[in-house]
Amino acid sequence: MKRTAIDLADGRELIYFDERDDAVRDQPDRRDLPPPPPASQLRYDPLTDEWVAVAVHRQTRTFLPPANECPLDPSVGDRLTEIPAPDYDVVVFENRFPSLSGRVADEPGEITPFTPVRPGLGRCEVVCFTSDHNASFASLPPRRVRTVLDALADRTEVLGELPGVEQIFCFENRGVEIGVTLHHPHGQIYAYPFVTPRTRALLAAARRHAERTGGNLYADVLAAERATGDRVVTENEHWTAFVPAAARWPFEVHVAPRRVVPDIPALSDSERDAFGPLYLDLLRRFDGLFDMPMPYISAWHQAPVRIDRELGHLHLQLFSIRRATDKLKYLAGSESGMGVFINDISPERAAELLRAA
């Protein structure tokens, strides 16, 4: 894989990850762009012990443009996009409308004595999986999945070295039902200046388990799922895909390496090669459930950058809000108000349907 970094017209960084060593990436960004927005504002919620980002500039971000105006396509002729090259394999660049960034303007003032405020330091990046606007992740060849995984490993390492960054989150949103604003197949990376609430909860449970048993909680859960096999969808030498016994979403699958590793950079070459065929098979099963493109979120759970890394166990959580051909799972009163999920499909039935898809 060849890595080439350039600066866009407004100073944001863009990185090409090419599968050919002879790729030349010297095309300049010929657009006239305004300066990127300043960092967002983080406000602390004392009632929940959580940080909330206020990023008002994101109201103006691009929203579902027609195909001939997609900013993630390559630049061809006078049609100039976020990617200056006329073609590409995988591209990563700093989001033009980020929730978090390193551009701090004025220090925010106090809201109340109970609500500390600080700049939304961090970084948000876009990951373009292919130059083909009409493709999907499921249509990629295994070699391209390996390139994407290597790019995520690179960014996890680099972003983890930024001052103040505590957690790296790589993810893909797919489908208008999920809330995508661009149809081009792409993912995102968030470098947070704190450990997220979900990860803190996972670590707290893992810590209690380690103190009680001396084991790694996720590894022990994975071993139990593999032993029963009831909710295992597919597996290979290095990875297992299973529906969690207490799945929250109608169709939810965890994809985990058998070896305990904290993050994507820690994966071996053989583990990275083995991921693509299994994951592509799983995505095609999702699309086959209702014979239509499945809306989903694909979320990599990595250990924090600096703390509790021994408690983590890298895994990917793939889930969809679609529960039937014509029905979506909405986060209504119990889920949104109280955080208590009510699943309409048993995890065992979901695993059975996915195995048969």
Side-chain angles (χ1 to χ4, degrees):
M1 184 181 71
K2 181 180 180 180
R3 184 187 190 279
T4 308
I6 67 168
D7 288 333
L8 296 175
D10 57 2
R12 290 176 295 128
E13 184 181 28
L14 179 146
I15 306 163
Y16 295 100
F17 294 91
D18 285 297
E19 294 164 356
R20 304 185 333 271
D21 290 336
D22 60 349
V24 177
R25 300 303 184 189
D26 57 0
Q27 298 87 358
D29 184 1
R30 296 183 283 125
R31 297 172 297 170
D32 182 15
L33 297 177
S40 62
Q41 189 179 91
L42 295 180
R43 300 187 179 190
Y44 178 73
D45 183 351
L47 301 178
T48 61
D49 186 28
E50 296 175 3
W51 288 94
V52 176
V54 180
V56 296
H57 60 270
R58 284 175 57 78
Q59 276 282 56
T60 61
R61 68 187 185 274
T62 308
F63 182 78
L64 296 178
N68 61 355
E69 297 178 13
C70 177
L72 305 186
D73 287 351
S75 292
V76 179
D78 293 330
R79 183 187 169 200
L80 305 179
T81 70
E82 288 280 66
I83 297 93
D87 61 56
Y88 63 84
D89 292 335
V90 174
V91 166
V92 178
F93 62 89
E94 187 180 357
N95 198 324
R96 190 175 174 185
F97 305 96
S99 303
L100 304 163
S101 78
R103 294 178 292 274
V104 177
D106 298 325
E107 288 289 335
E110 183 181 80
I111 303 297
T112 78
F114 301 99
T115 310
V117 179
R118 59 176 170 140
L121 284 174
R123 181 142 158 155
C124 292
E125 297 184 336
V126 177
V127 185
C128 297
F129 307 135
T130 171
S131 60
D132 184 354
H133 180 87
N134 298 312
S136 67
F137 202 106
S139 69
L140 301 178
R143 181 184 180 189
R144 178 58 50 83
V145 179
R146 171 64 196 260
T147 305
V148 171
L149 206 58
D150 287 343
L152 297 183
D154 175 281
R155 303 315 300 153
T156 295
E157 287 189 307
V158 172
L159 296 178
E161 295 175 356
L162 294 178
V165 168
E166 298 294 336
Q167 184 175 345
I168 310 300
F169 176 45
C170 308
F171 64 100
E172 180 195 1
N173 296 329
R174 186 210 189 185
V176 294
E177 301 92 337
I178 293 296
V180 298
T181 57
L182 296 172
H183 287 300
H184 195 111
H186 71 286
Q188 298 181 63
I189 305 173
Y190 276 32
Y192 294 105
F194 49 79
V195 178
T196 63
R198 179 65 187 275
T199 300
R200 282 195 293 157
L202 294 174
L203 291 173
R207 188 177 301 108
R208 291 191 297 269
H209 180 80
E211 291 171 352
R212 187 173 63 250
T213 69
N216 179 287
L217 176 58
Y218 196 93
D220 289 348
V221 168
L222 175 60
E225 290 291 352
R226 294 189 65 232
T228 66
D230 294 342
R231 288 167 296 277
V232 172
V233 178
T234 184
E235 59 184 336
N236 61 24
E237 180 184 358
H238 294 288
W239 297 83
T240 300
F242 67 95
V243 178
R248 288 164 167 75
W249 303 94
F251 293 96
E252 176 182 351
V253 176
H254 284 200
V255 183
R258 297 188 185 180
R259 188 171 64 96
V260 177
V261 296
D263 52 23
I264 298 171
L267 292 171
S268 67
D269 277 339
S270 57
E271 287 167 332
R272 296 187 192 193
D273 285 338
F275 172 76
L278 181 141
Y279 185 54
L280 292 173
D281 174 66
L282 187 60
L283 290 179
R284 290 161 188 157
R285 290 175 187 273
F286 263 61
D287 285 347
L289 280 171
F290 304 113
D291 292 321
M292 64 174 67
M294 193 73 147
Y296 65 72
I297 293 174
S298 179
W300 281 103
H301 290 262
Q302 305 193 86
V305 173
R306 294 177 175 84
I307 64 169
D308 293 331
R309 290 180 59 79
E310 74 285 355
L311 296 175
H313 189 308
L314 173 72
H315 62 281
L316 182 143
Q317 180 190 18
L318 176 69
F319 62 93
S320 179
I321 62 173
R322 185 170 295 285
R323 58 189 176 91
T325 303
D326 57 347
K327 296 182 178 69
L328 300 178
K329 169 65 177 177
Y330 293 103
L331 300 190
S334 184
E335 292 88 356
S336 295
M338 288 290 106
V340 177
F341 277 71
I342 302 170
N343 197 345
D344 304 291
I345 300 175
S346 76
E348 292 74 24
R349 178 57 176 163
E352 180 183 356
L353 291 171
L354 283 166
R355 285 193 295 265

